């Protein structure tokens, strides 16, 4: 489980990530996971084997060779889904349940807020909104939102 | 001998008069009374007074009727034993194994009885001349004579808060919090003076408006336009002035009172956090929350609203009175005469109402109690399908609430029409007297109108003024409850001259330690030395005092006797926080705070790097399950760690202990609430944690202590056995029996799981 650099990553025909570690053992179906997806997405990525045990700990993604990093990031992108809200366009009502029209870094969408306490303050100005269908939306910096969005959001905080 | 002159040496109160005659007859010449105790039950448990006496030669028991009397000569070896059950206490006089007598009382006299027993012991000691020389007499509680710890303010046993209604003087103590804002307060007061004066100008101006403008006009003279303009301008100006001043006054004082409230809250909470666990043990969470939250808010509201209004009203009445008297003393007298009467009547009604409102408060807290009870326990409610019962319970209290409110509303609805009626009657009197005066040409119409304008102003204020009494009382009781916290000194005090240990080796010595909760001894005569890096397994039946020992080691409580030292230094001379930072504590019920998992792991070391956090989690075997959570280390866990299993929470709390890298590690049944599989996982985590640290591990399952260097067997607060597993098994003593009992339990456990007959179970266990 040491983070040695003597390993290779590749993608097999089935589209799975395959890791060959220092002594040549081949692990198929490797799953990368971020340890701190919100507070420090680039610090600490763990590669888990099919059995759920950790194979390798990557202290820092940026420290990896480019192509390996690309492989991991591609794999992460497939399983991570946490749209970042950039703008709140409109809310259906100020009482929950409320439907929000939002713009995110993954395009415009609609989310359903079931109760106020589904908005959780992570750190000072980072909010995590879990919508009625279990998708987590992130507001990375409350103060960076435009005035209109902030006014709308403020009614729920 | 003269009984009235004898008052027992160590109690403050004299014997009730009713007994004097009987006593005079019974007591021998020059017999001295050491202690007395009035019982209130006879041996058939009917209420009947009796008197129990210890004199310098005998124990004397008298009954109320006066005929019954029993006596026992005082002799060495006698003891008084105090017992209580279901609210009835008894004192038995024993000589060795035989009971000489037994007297009963209701628990209202519990503290007196304890005092009596102690005085009896002193009397007996005095008889034998056995006052232990050289031993410093411990301070005693003045009520029950239980010894107090050197730093303990009040006896924990007698501290059933005296229920005297708090006097309103308590409010003066709030000055401590108001002091920093005294200049703002002064400014607010001056503004208040000015704004009240400004509101009194318009009625004054109505006088010339009436006498010099309107009435001459009726009499055929033309209107003096200049004068009208002047007067109307004055009216407008005074209205604007009153508005501006009123705004400034309210704003400044509201600002100040909000700050006072905030200071009060913060300081109280700070103080509360530094009180010992003993204090928290005796208080309900909801109660403390209410004190800090709503009581301080109530005080704030009182200062900013009620007190302010009241002061304004008083100022207004005083100023009005002065103005009225300068205009016309006679009319002023008639105007002000009914005032006290009206105020008194309003106060009467209010008083009725306020008792009613208190009742509403109480019923309301019952309603919320049921909610607070049921909602956290909802799983139990559902599991036992008791929704109907709970809803019935709620409905019942709600009905009660309704009934109480109905009663109050009956008075309440009468209240404001009555105030109006009284005001109208007051006005009527002024009208009548005023008209009479006008017809005799003693005053002008203008004066009468001005009077009427003034008076209607403050009659309406009387209602709100009368409210001040009950509000002040409520606030005073709130302030008292807050000062209760602030006045409390921690029973685990910081040392006056703290010593500092550079690096702790981890050597622990417990010498002759004794400890009681209240007056119940839980640890007795405890001696134990633990070498640096040694692992001690603490075993014993539940209730034998293991967790209490942990509390003492962590200095959550202080020992009543003896001393605990670390590396040869008494832990009482180390700064508390510094000392505790060397201890890693893992409890049976891990507590997770609201926040992310990373924050929870880093609780004891907030500036830990992410690498350190991950390393600690890994050592605690928590890393992999954390990674699998939707947001990894950033996942939020709720107040009670919802969404995590017991074993997972436990591993997070182990990681927390690991991260601070403590020299001393204490595990109090860290694996008791998890299944065997998880226990293995946790055990592996613990093995990492234990390495190289002084460890004290308490475990219910003896098998988990296999790594311990020494096992200490506790029974009722005393060490009964000590040694390695093999030695203790060889002795066939207490440990052996515990072990055997558990081995049998394992069998039955297996039976339960497999539902198979005992033989098979034995085979599989073998
Ligand atoms: N806060 C307390 N107040 C009064 N008695 C207590 C308190 N805590 C524990 N006790 C009593 O002290 C005894 C020892 O308890 P404890 O140390 O928790 O036992 P163990 O951990 O060995 O099961 C028990 O009889 C218990 O009822
Ligand atoms: Mg315990």
């Amino acid at each position: 489980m040491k983070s040695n650099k003597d390993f290779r990553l590749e993608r097999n025909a089935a589209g799975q990530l395959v890791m060959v570690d220092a002594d040549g053992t081949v692990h198929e179906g490797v799953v990368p996971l971020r340890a701190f997806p919100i507070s420090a997405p680039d610090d600490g990525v763990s590669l888990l084997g099919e059995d759920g045990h950790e194979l390798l700990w990557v202290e820092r993604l940026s420290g990896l060779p480019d192509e390996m990093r690309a492989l991991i990031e591609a794999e992460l992108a497939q399983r991570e889904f946490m749209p970042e809200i950039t703008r709140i366009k409109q809310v259906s009502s100020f009482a929950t349940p409320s439907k929000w029209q939002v713009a995110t870094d993954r395009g415009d969408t609609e989310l359903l807020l079931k109760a106020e306490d589904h908005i959780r303050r992570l750190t000072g100005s980072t909010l995590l909104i879990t919508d009625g269908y279990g998708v987590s939306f992130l507001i990375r910096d409350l103060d960076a939102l435009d005035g209109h969005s902030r006014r709308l959001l403020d009614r729920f905080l | 001998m003269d009984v009235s002159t004898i008052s027992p040496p160590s109690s403050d109160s004299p014997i009730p008069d009713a007994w004097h005659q009987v006593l005079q007859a019974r007591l021998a010449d020059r017999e001295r009374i050491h202690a007395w105790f009035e019982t209130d039950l006879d041996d058939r448990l009917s209420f009947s007074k009796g008197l129990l006496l210890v004199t310098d030669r005998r124990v004397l028991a008298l009954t109320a009727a006066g005929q019954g009397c029993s006596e026992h000569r005082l002799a060495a070896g006698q003891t008084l034993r105090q017992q209580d059950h279901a609210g009835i206490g008894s004192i038995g006089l024993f000589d060795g194994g035989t009971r000489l007598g037994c007297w009963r009382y209701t628990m209202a006299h519990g503290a007196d009885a304890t005092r009596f027993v102690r005085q009896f012991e002193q009397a007996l000691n005095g008889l034998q001349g056995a006052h232990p020389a050289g031993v410093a007499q411990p301070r005693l509680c003045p009520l029950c004579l239980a010894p107090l710890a050197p730093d303990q303010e009040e006896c924990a046993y007698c501290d059933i808060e005296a229920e005297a209604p708090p006097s309103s003087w308590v409010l003066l103590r709030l000055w401590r919090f108001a002091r920093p804002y005294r200049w703002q307060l002064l400014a607010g007061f001056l503004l208040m003076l000015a704004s009240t004066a400004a509101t009194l100008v318009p009625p004054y101006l109505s006088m010339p408006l009436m006498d010099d403008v309107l009435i001459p006009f009726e009499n055929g003279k033309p209107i003096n336009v200049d004068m009208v303009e002047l007067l109307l301008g004055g009216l407008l100006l005074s209205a604007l002035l009153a508005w501006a001043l009123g705004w400034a006054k309210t704003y400044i004082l509201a600002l100040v009172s909000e700050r006072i409230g905030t200071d009060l809250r913060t300081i109280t909470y700070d103080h509360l956090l530094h009180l010992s666990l003993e204090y928290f043990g005796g208080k309900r969470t909801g109660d403390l929350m209410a004190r800090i939250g709503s009581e301080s808010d109530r005080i704030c509201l009182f200062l900013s609203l009620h007190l302010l209004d009241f002061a304004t009203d008083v100022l207004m009445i005083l100023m009005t009175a002065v103005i009225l008297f300068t205009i016309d003393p006679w009319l002023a007298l008639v105007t002000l005469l009914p005032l006290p009467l009206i105020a008194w009547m309003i106060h009467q009604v209010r008083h009725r109402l306020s008792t009613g409102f208190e009742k509403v408060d109480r019923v309301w807290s019952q309603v919320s109690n049921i909610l607070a009870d049921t909602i956290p326990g909802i799983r139990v409610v559902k599991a036992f399908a008791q929704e109907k019962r709970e809803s019935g319970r709620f409905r019942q209290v709600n009905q009660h609430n309704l009934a109480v409110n109905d009663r109050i509303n009956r008075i309440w609805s009468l209240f404001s029409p009555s105030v109006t009626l009284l005001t109208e009657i007051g006005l009527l009197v002024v009208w009548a007297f005023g008209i009479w005066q006008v017809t005799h040409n003693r005053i002008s119409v203008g004066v009468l109108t001005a009077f009427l304008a003034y008076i209607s102003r403050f009659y309406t204020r009387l209602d709100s003024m009368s409210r001040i009494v009950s509000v002040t009382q409520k606030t005073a009781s709130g302030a008292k409850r807050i000062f209760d916290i602030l006045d409390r000194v921690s029973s685990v005090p910081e040392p006056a001259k703290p010593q500092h240990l550079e690096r702790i080796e981890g050597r622990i010595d417990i010498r002759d330690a004794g400890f009681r909760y209240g007056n119940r001894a839980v640890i007795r005569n405890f001696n134990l030395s633990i070498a640096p890096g040694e692992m001690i397994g603490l075993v014993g039946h539940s209730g034998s005092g293991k967790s209490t020992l942990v509390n003492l080691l962590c200095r959550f409580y202080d020992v009543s006797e003896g001393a605990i030292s670390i590396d040869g230094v008494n832990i009482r001379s180390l700064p508390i926080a510094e000392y505790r930072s060397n201890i890693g504590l893992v409890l049976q019920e891990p507590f997770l705070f609201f926040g992310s998992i990373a924050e929870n792991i880093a609780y004891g070391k907030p500036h830990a790097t992410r690498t350190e956090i991950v390393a600690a989690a890994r050592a605690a075997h928590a890393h992999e399950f954390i990674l699998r959570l939707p947001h990894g280390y950033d996942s939020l866990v709720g107040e009670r760690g919802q969404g995590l299993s017991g074993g997972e929470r436990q591993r997070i709390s182990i990681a927390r202990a690991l991260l601070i890298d403590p020299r001393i590690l204490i595990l109090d049944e860290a694996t008791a609430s998890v299944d065997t599989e998880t226990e293995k996982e946790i055990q592996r985590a613990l093995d990492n944690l234990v390495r190289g640290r002084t460890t004290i591990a308490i475990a219910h399952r003896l098998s988990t202590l296999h790594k311990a260097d020494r096992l200490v067997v506790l029974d009722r607060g005393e060490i009964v056995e000590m040694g390695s597993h093999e030695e203790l098994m060889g002795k066939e003593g207490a440990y052996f029996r515990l072990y055997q009992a558990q081995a049998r339990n394992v069998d039955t456990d297996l039976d339960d799981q497999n539902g198979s007959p005992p033989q098979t179970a034995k085979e599989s266990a073998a």
Side-chain angles (χ1 to χ4, degrees):
Chain A
M1 250 194 278
K2 270 180 250 131
S3 40
N4 63 18
K5 296 277 185 268
D6 287 338
F7 70 100
R8 274 184 300 119
L9 273 180
E10 49 206 42
R11 197 180 283 283
N12 69 8
Q16 288 179 318
L17 216 52
V18 176
M19 187 182 111
V20 185
D21 63 18
D23 43 7
T25 328
V26 179
H27 303 275
E28 303 219 323
V30 170
V31 177
L33 287 175
R34 291 190 209 271
F36 302 94
I38 297 160
S39 56
D42 270 358
D43 277 7
V45 171
S46 178
L47 302 185
L48 300 190
E50 264 182 323
D51 55 357
H53 287 301
E54 185 172 54
L55 296 171
L56 186 89
W57 171 255
V58 182
E59 194 72 47
R60 195 167 284 280
L61 261 192
S62 49
L64 285 184
D66 279 351
E67 77 250 42
M68 279 211 246
R69 196 180 69 217
L71 269 175
I72 292 180
E73 271 175 351
E75 188 72 18
L76 281 171
Q78 277 177 31
R79 33 182 64 251
E80 275 178 346
F81 185 69
M82 202 192 312
E84 231 183 283
I85 296 179
T86 51
R87 204 157 71 78
I88 303 171
K89 292 193 258 179
Q90 197 190 333
V91 302
S92 68
S93 85
F94 289 118
T96 50
S98 163
K99 277 196 176 144
W100 294 16
Q101 309 291 335
V102 294
T104 72
D105 59 345
R106 295 178 188 243
D108 294 359
T109 181
E110 182 180 272
L111 74 86
L112 173 71
L113 184 75
K114 279 203 168 154
E116 278 91 348
D117 50 358
H118 289 178
I119 305 180
R120 294 182 133 184
R121 200 174 274 273
L122 293 179
T123 53
S125 60
T126 310
L127 300 179
L128 189 71
I129 302 174
T130 313
D131 91 335
Y133 309 104
V135 178
S136 299
F137 291 83
L138 189 70
I139 296 181
R140 198 170 285 285
D141 188 1
L142 183 60
D143 304 319
L145 286 184
D146 58 304
H148 175 68
S149 310
R150 253 193 324 219
R151 261 193 304 282
L152 288 180
L153 192 60
D154 204 43
R155 298 288 294 266
F156 293 90
L157 294 178
Chain B
M1 70 176 296
D2 182 14
V3 187
S4 53
T5 60
I6 40 164
S7 119
S10 37
S11 93
D12 308 331
S13 49
I15 298 175
D17 289 342
W19 294 104
H20 283 192
Q21 224 179 347
V22 191
L23 270 182
Q24 223 132 23
R26 293 286 177 186
L27 282 185
D29 201 22
R30 302 185 46 201
E31 183 167 4
R32 275 191 54 226
I33 298 180
H34 274 294
W36 62 273
F37 170 54
E38 194 172 40
T39 57
D40 57 351
L41 291 174
D42 63 15
D43 19 328
R44 276 166 301 131
L45 294 187
S46 326
F47 284 103
S48 158
K49 293 235 184 277
L51 187 70
L52 207 53
L53 289 169
V54 180
T55 70
D56 51 358
R57 57 199 76 166
R58 55 186 175 160
V59 176
L60 196 62
L62 306 172
T63 57
Q67 332 88 342
C69 164
S70 62
E71 62 167 310
H72 306 277
R73 191 138 286 282
L74 213 53
Q78 285 178 343
T79 49
L80 272 188
R81 275 182 226 158
Q82 195 188 355
Q83 283 184 329
D84 63 87
H85 179 68
I88 292 170
S90 67
I91 288 183
L93 177 65
F94 288 83
D95 188 358
T98 43
R99 193 174 77 175
L100 304 174
C102 183
W103 302 274
R104 288 164 224 278
Y105 53 90
T106 57
M107 280 318 280
H109 300 284
D112 284 337
T114 313
R115 171 185 53 82
F116 180 74
V117 170
R118 297 205 190 263
Q119 286 173 338
F120 169 83
E121 283 161 7
Q122 285 171 1
L124 212 57
N125 280 342
L127 187 74
Q128 298 160 345
H131 240 299
V135 177
Q137 283 289 315
R139 247 166 11 102
L140 300 181
C141 162
L143 279 178
C144 69
L145 292 189
L148 296 179
D151 31 67
Q152 201 177 356
E153 270 292 291
E154 286 163 53
C155 171
Y157 200 52
C158 297
D159 183 28
I160 304 161
E161 281 174 36
E163 279 299 328
S167 115
S168 303
W169 294 118
V170 149
L171 288 174
L172 288 186
R173 296 186 59 190
L174 287 174
W175 176 244
R176 172 182 152 196
F177 295 93
R179 233 184 99 83
Y181 305 103
R182 56 190 180 280
W183 298 119
Q184 286 100 311
L185 281 172
L186 183 68
F189 183 75
L190 293 179
L191 281 171
M192 188 197 295
L193 222 56
S195 76
T196 312
T199 56
L200 292 176
V201 172
Y204 203 88
L205 293 182
S206 73
M207 251 183 326
L209 210 52
M210 194 62 87
D211 289 341
D212 302 342
V213 179
L214 289 178
I215 294 187
F217 176 71
E218 272 203 335
N219 296 340
K221 290 190 187 150
I223 282 196
N224 181 346
V225 179
D226 282 351
M227 189 162 186
V228 171
E229 272 174 1
L230 194 70
L231 288 174
L232 290 186
L235 280 177
L236 182 67
L237 202 68
S238 68
L240 286 177
L241 201 64
W243 172 80
L245 288 170
W247 167 79
K249 157 200 94 169
T250 315
Y251 181 68
I252 286 191
L253 290 176
L255 225 59
V256 170
S257 73
E258 200 61 57
R259 276 166 186 63
I260 293 177
T262 308
D263 289 355
L264 198 63
R265 251 192 306 274
T266 330
I267 293 176
T268 315
Y269 183 62
D270 261 13
H271 189 83
L272 184 71
L273 279 184
H274 285 99
L275 288 178
S276 72
L277 271 193
E278 183 181 352
Y279 184 75
F280 288 89
K283 291 280 182 286
R284 300 218 321 275
T285 316
D287 177 48
L288 290 178
M289 275 166 62
R291 286 189 195 202
I292 293 182
S294 45
E295 302 289 7
S296 62
D297 204 47
R298 180 181 281 177
I299 291 176
C300 183
L301 201 67
F302 171 77
L303 294 177
S304 68
L305 208 66
H306 302 296
L307 198 59
L308 195 62
D309 278 354
F310 184 70
T312 315
D313 291 344
V314 170
L315 277 179
M316 188 165 100
I317 289 187
L318 287 179
M319 287 184 186
T320 316
V322 171
I323 296 174
L324 292 185
F325 272 102
T326 51
I327 303 175
D328 185 285
W330 277 110
L331 190 55
L333 208 61
V334 172
T335 312
L336 295 178
L337 221 49
L339 203 68
L341 184 73
I342 295 177
W344 179 77
M345 285 172 90
I346 291 178
H347 180 62
Q348 284 305 309
V349 183
R350 275 251 161 244
H351 183 67
R352 292 265 170 75
L353 275 176
S354 74
T355 48
F357 280 130
E358 268 164 36
K359 194 173 266 160
V360 171
D361 272 358
R362 276 198 299 278
V363 175
W364 187 244
S365 77
Q366 273 178 28
V367 172
S368 40
N369 267 345
I370 288 195
L371 290 178
D373 237 26
T374 318
I375 293 173
I378 190 69
R379 278 174 66 155
V380 182
V381 175
K382 285 193 179 297
F384 288 89
Q386 293 298 316
E387 289 98 335
K388 258 221 186 74
R389 175 169 115 188
E390 290 301 338
S391 110
R393 215 150 68 97
F394 190 68
R395 184 169 315 134
Q396 198 182 343
V397 177
N398 233 349
Q399 281 299 332
H400 188 46
N401 184 25
L402 197 63
V404 172
N405 270 304
D406 280 351
R407 212 171 313 144
I408 267 236
N409 287 338
R410 224 170 294 145
I411 313 179
W412 180 237
S413 55
L414 205 64
F415 183 64
S416 58
S418 311
V419 171
T420 319
L421 181 68
L422 290 173
T423 328
E424 296 295 340
I425 292 176
L427 283 174
L428 198 70
V429 173
V430 176
W431 269 112
F433 187 73
I435 290 172
W436 183 71
Q437 290 269 63
V438 170
T439 51
H440 287 74
N441 271 331
R442 296 219 179 92
I443 56 169
S444 66
V445 179
V447 170
L448 182 58
T449 29
F451 264 73
L452 288 168
Y454 276 122
I455 194 175
S456 58
R457 274 180 192 230
F458 68 65
Y459 273 0
T460 53
R461 302 301 303 164
L462 282 181
D463 168 34
S464 81
M465 278 181 73
S466 68
R467 204 170 303 174
I468 192 79
V469 179
S470 66
V471 174
T472 309
Q473 250 156 30
K474 272 195 194 153
T475 313
S477 79
K480 180 186 164 276
R481 278 149 60 80
I482 285 190
F483 282 112
D484 256 8
I485 298 181
L486 283 174
D487 291 343
R488 178 72 52 144
V489 218
S490 173
S491 59
V492 180
E494 287 282 353
K497 276 190 233 109
Q499 270 176 286
H500 296 275
L501 284 178
E502 277 306 307
R503 214 192 104 76
I504 285 185
E505 289 293 324
R507 172 176 186 80
I508 301 173
D509 293 287
I510 307 173
R511 287 270 158 274
D512 301 322
F515 178 73
R516 350 191 154 72
Y517 287 113
N519 61 356
R520 178 157 148 231
V522 178
I523 298 281
R524 291 188 198 86
N525 196 17
F526 200 97
N527 281 292
L528 184 65
S529 289
I530 306 172
E534 192 182 19
M535 177 175 177
I536 294 284
L538 213 52
V539 300
H541 292 291
S542 109
S544 56
K546 304 181 296 288
S547 301
T548 307
L549 195 66
V550 169
N551 287 341
L552 294 178
L553 279 173
C554 295
R555 227 189 141 205
F556 292 144
Y557 294 83
D558 269 336
V559 286
S560 332
E561 294 143 32
I564 299 178
S565 46
I566 179 156
D567 293 354
V569 179
N570 191 330
I571 56 172
R572 290 171 86 148
S573 54
L574 297 172
I576 297 176
E578 190 184 306
Y579 168 61
R580 287 195 191 134
S581 68
N582 288 298
I583 299 181
L585 184 61
V586 183
L587 295 172
Q588 175 175 358
E589 267 299 315
F591 188 87
L592 299 190
F593 293 94
F594 185 85
S596 74
I597 288 191
E599 282 161 4
N600 263 292
I601 293 179
Y603 188 73
K605 192 177 173 188
H607 299 297
T609 63
R610 295 202 176 87
T611 321
E612 285 176 309
I613 293 175
V614 172
R618 217 178 242 139
H621 286 248
H623 181 61
E624 284 173 2
F625 91 76
I626 294 174
L627 280 177
R628 265 178 261 125
L629 293 174
H631 301 309
Y633 283 82
D634 289 330
S635 307
L636 286 174
V637 284
E639 289 104 280
R640 283 173 231 125
Q642 277 118 338
L644 294 183
S645 77
E648 289 167 342
R649 263 181 289 163
Q650 191 57 278
R651 276 177 277 168
I652 290 181
S653 80
I654 292 173
R656 186 191 285 164
L658 256 172
L659 187 64
I660 61 171
D661 190 22
R663 292 306 307 149
I664 299 170
L665 185 65
I666 298 178
L667 310 168
D668 190 352
E669 315 223 4
T671 57
S673 60
V674 295
D675 57 276
T676 341
E677 199 50 43
T678 320
E679 180 178 356
K680 281 209 190 97
E681 189 92 354
I682 294 179
Q683 201 58 48
R684 276 200 292 274
L686 286 179
D687 291 345
N688 278 335
L689 191 48
V690 163
R691 209 162 291 142
R693 304 170 209 274
T694 308
T695 305
I696 294 165
I698 300 174
H700 184 64
R701 291 192 199 108
L702 300 179
S703 52
T704 52
L705 293 177
H706 62 278
K707 284 241 171 91
D709 299 308
R710 253 191 311 165
L711 292 169
V712 175
V713 187
L714 233 69
D715 188 32
R716 274 169 271 166
E718 283 172 299
I719 299 182
V720 289
E721 275 181 339
M722 188 148 61
S724 69
H725 173 75
E726 286 73 25
E727 284 168 25
L728 294 180
M729 287 304 279
K731 266 194 194 165
E732 304 211 345
Y735 180 78
F736 179 77
R737 284 194 298 277
L738 269 174
Y739 196 84
Q740 292 281 314
Q742 277 198 7
R744 275 199 301 280
N745 270 338
V746 170
D747 285 357
T748 39
D749 276 355
L750 285 175
D751 288 353
D752 293 344
Q753 279 163 16
N754 305 336
S756 45
Q759 310 92 290
T760 350
K762 283 237 171 60
E763 279 162 25
S764 61

